[in-house]
Amino acid sequence: MASRGAFSNKLGFILAAAGSAVGLGNIWKFPFEVGNGGGAAFVVLYLFFCFLLCFPVMISEIAIGRKTLRNPVGAFNELGFRNWRFVGMLGLFCGVLILSFYNVVAGWAFGYFIEMLFANFDVGSQFGDYIKDITKVGFYAILFMLTTAFIVSKGVSGGIEKAAKILMPTLIIMILGLVAYATTLPNAMKGISFYLVPDFSEINITVIGGALRQAFFSLSLGMGALITYGSYVSKNDNIISSAAYITLMDVGIAFIAGLMIFPFVAFNLGGDMTQVSEPGFGGPGLIFVTLPGVFATLGSTWGVIVGSFFFLLLSFAALTSTVSLLEVPVAYVVDEHKVNRNKAVWIVALIIFVIGIPSLLSGGYSEFLSNFSRIIGVPDVIDSDFLSFVAATADVLLLLGGCLIVFFAGYIWKKKNLHEEIAQGFNGYENSFVKKFLDFAVTILSPVVLAILFILVLLNNFFGITLI
Ligand code: TRP
């Protein structure tokens, strides 16, 4: 097994998994989902889902990976449940979908880094034209996929772990600095209260579904990314505390990213937060439209320094996530088809890049792809471009995958085996409160609630049917 690679220690694993979790999901997606979801009520639901419903899924994924030392497809096989390989396949499919569009957005982020270097702060107000410019965004997307493939080809501890160890801490410091600046701007408090003072009358199934989808996406759950990373974890490590750190880091960074962005948004909108969910401003463009203008207010020197550094770090955060997304299908091809790692990396990366081309063209270049869901009549339309459609599809599949994975852990593999795996590396697990909680969570709480919500969200987002 030595040739599969492994993380060098617990910190290495935590940072790599947190690196996977923390990415565009926290800084790009979370703020606009909060905007679409009406503000603070969404945030409350999101926190609730992360800590209660998703935590057992995360534990199950890591435990299954560490037990089997396999990719998501091979893992179910290894445990003796061939029929469950489809869950791994579903995960693989989902990961490919996510990486295909994620790489495009990561390319935008990197492109903005270059624009900021040249003090082009107007790029924010020209965001629509920017993503239409196919030679530019196409070039950055290719560059991003190449970089991702390069790191993954370097293997687990040399590439993935090293990158995460440097990038994660820098990102946190940078965002905190921007939060401090954000609160000094006019109308900052209007942004903060939109973000933090909940209006529970806003809650409906679209908001609930949005918060749950966001929780899964942000924690990198539901497709076996953490089965794969779990397979590189040592038997001496404590799975529960690792998962707790990963969740706290991910939720913490999303939370402070919100503290940074909403004052900026309020400043940009002159305090009128009603526009925050409007197409063109809200949605995938939110940070790309808002931030450059804010950096401009810092003056040309500081604007360039802070602006370029910010988008560079955002690109890095995205990179530790794209790496985890690529690692899953690569691990599958390496384990199950005995292809050499290097070759697997380049082939898989090329295929995913090609699958991402329609997303690349859906930023205005192609009329049809830019209005995709409206044209085919799917109601999940705050944004009807193909990229958003793929993102929404993948999100819903993550819920299904997560639900099946906990169900598998609780009932098929059996919770006794799950507990046994967790107990390794955790002295005193037997009599702990966590054990009692998981006992209930993997058999009842998570599978039942996730199954119900999956159905409600699917009907609501894709068929326009609202049962509650
Ligand atoms: N969690 C990452 C983010 O927030 C994206 C991501 C990476 C992901 N790997 C994943 C999402 C696996 C779902 C599944 O940006």
Side-chain angles (χ1 to χ4, degrees):
M1 271 304 134
S3 63
R4 284 187 85 249
F7 292 115
S8 39
N9 53 32
K10 182 174 170 193
L11 182 68
F13 165 61
I14 293 174
L15 286 179
S20 163
V22 175
L24 295 170
N26 306 59
I27 296 160
W28 162 71
K29 198 164 186 275
F30 179 68
F32 80 75
E33 294 287 357
V34 174
N36 290 343
F42 178 100
V43 180
V44 174
L45 286 169
Y46 164 79
L47 293 174
F48 178 78
F49 289 148
C50 284
F51 288 112
L52 277 179
L53 283 185
C54 294
F55 194 67
V57 181
M58 184 180 282
I59 303 283
S60 304
E61 285 204 23
I62 300 174
I64 291 173
R66 191 176 72 169
K67 173 77 191 173
T68 59
L69 303 170
R70 288 287 183 287
N71 63 85
V73 177
F76 291 99
N77 248 350
E78 182 70 18
L79 292 174
F81 302 99
R82 267 191 79 79
N83 294 341
W84 281 77
R85 297 173 71 217
F86 82 94
V87 179
M89 286 292 183
L90 179 74
L92 239 51
F93 174 68
C94 205
V96 168
L97 284 187
I98 295 175
L99 184 53
S100 78
F101 79 82
Y102 198 96
N103 183 61
V104 172
V105 181
W108 299 347
F110 188 76
Y112 263 53
F113 158 64
I114 307 284
E115 300 298 327
M116 293 298 113
L117 274 184
F118 289 100
N120 179 14
F121 300 115
D122 292 336
V123 67
S125 53
Q126 296 150 5
F127 173 70
D129 293 325
Y130 185 83
I131 57 173
K132 242 191 240 174
D133 186 345
I134 209 66
T135 32
K136 235 186 210 167
V137 287
F139 171 74
Y140 292 130
I142 292 174
L143 194 69
F144 214 89
M145 189 62 93
L146 288 176
T147 314
T148 304
F150 177 75
I151 294 182
V152 175
S153 74
K154 292 282 162 216
V156 177
S157 63
I160 299 178
E161 190 181 318
K162 236 187 217 151
K165 271 191 175 154
I166 307 170
L167 303 176
M168 296 290 302
T170 324
L171 181 74
I172 297 177
I173 294 168
M174 178 91 203
I175 301 181
L176 284 175
L178 285 172
V179 171
Y181 175 63
T183 51
T184 66
L185 292 170
N187 289 317
M189 272 324 180
K190 294 220 169 89
I192 300 268
S193 73
F194 174 80
Y195 182 47
L196 295 182
V197 183
D199 170 1
F200 289 107
S201 67
E202 293 273 347
I203 293 184
N204 56 37
I205 187 64
T206 314
V207 174
I208 295 173
L212 184 64
R213 281 168 41 177
Q214 177 60 24
F216 264 76
F217 184 85
S218 180
L219 293 167
S220 299
L221 288 181
M223 57 151 283
L226 290 178
I227 294 183
T228 310
Y229 273 23
S231 75
Y232 307 127
V233 169
S234 150
K235 292 280 182 203
N236 302 323
D237 289 348
N238 182 328
I239 295 180
I240 304 279
S241 68
S242 303
Y245 285 126
I246 297 164
T247 304
L248 283 173
M249 245 190 262
D250 184 59
V251 172
I253 293 184
F255 189 76
I256 55 173
L259 281 182
M260 166 194 79
I261 198 86
F262 286 103
F264 284 156
V265 169
F267 167 70
N268 209 345
L269 293 174
D272 174 16
M273 296 302 285
T274 52
Q275 285 179 57
V276 86
S277 61
E278 278 172 21
F281 185 86
L286 187 63
I287 68 161
F288 292 101
V289 174
T290 306
L291 290 180
V294 174
F295 295 136
T297 63
L298 293 169
S300 56
T301 313
W302 283 106
V304 168
I305 295 173
V306 176
S308 56
F309 202 50
F310 176 82
F311 281 108
L312 184 65
L313 283 173
L314 180 61
S315 309
F316 284 148
L319 190 60
T320 48
S321 301
T322 52
V323 159
S324 79
L325 286 160
L326 184 59
E327 174 62 25
V328 178
V330 166
Y332 165 74
V333 176
V334 171
D335 289 350
E336 308 298 307
H337 297 284
K338 311 282 176 255
V339 177
N340 114 4
R341 184 172 182 94
N342 218 6
K343 193 162 150 204
V345 167
W346 296 101
I347 297 174
V348 174
L350 177 69
I351 296 174
I352 297 178
F353 181 80
V354 171
I355 297 175
I357 291 176
S359 295
L360 191 59
L361 302 179
S362 73
Y365 185 82
S366 149
E367 254 327 284
F368 171 66
L369 291 168
S370 309
N371 297 291
F372 185 76
S373 26
R374 197 174 315 127
I375 294 173
I376 65 165
V378 170
D380 184 60
V381 277
I382 290 163
D383 315 286
S384 50
D385 56 291
F386 187 76
L387 189 153
S388 302
F389 176 77
V390 178
T393 307
D395 275 1
V396 175
L397 291 179
L398 290 179
L399 298 189
L400 176 62
C403 179
L404 290 169
I405 290 170
V406 263
F407 180 84
F408 175 84
Y411 291 98
I412 310 294
W413 185 32
K414 300 252 184 321
K415 57 185 179 180
K416 176 175 121 322
N417 293 311
L418 175 71
H419 288 317
E420 220 166 74
E421 185 59 35
I422 298 171
Q424 295 198 42
F426 185 161
N427 289 331
Y429 177 64
E430 230 5 78
N431 301 313
S432 64
F433 167 75
V434 179
K435 183 178 177 207
K436 293 193 186 74
F437 168 70
L438 281 178
D439 222 67
F440 165 67
V442 298
T443 45
I444 303 185
L445 180 70
S446 293
V448 173
V449 179
L450 286 175
I452 296 172
L453 288 177
F454 164 70
I455 294 169
L456 293 177
V457 170
L458 181 72
L459 291 175
N460 175 261
N461 289 187
F462 287 87
F463 299 94
I465 300 169
T466 304
L467 295 183
I468 58 161

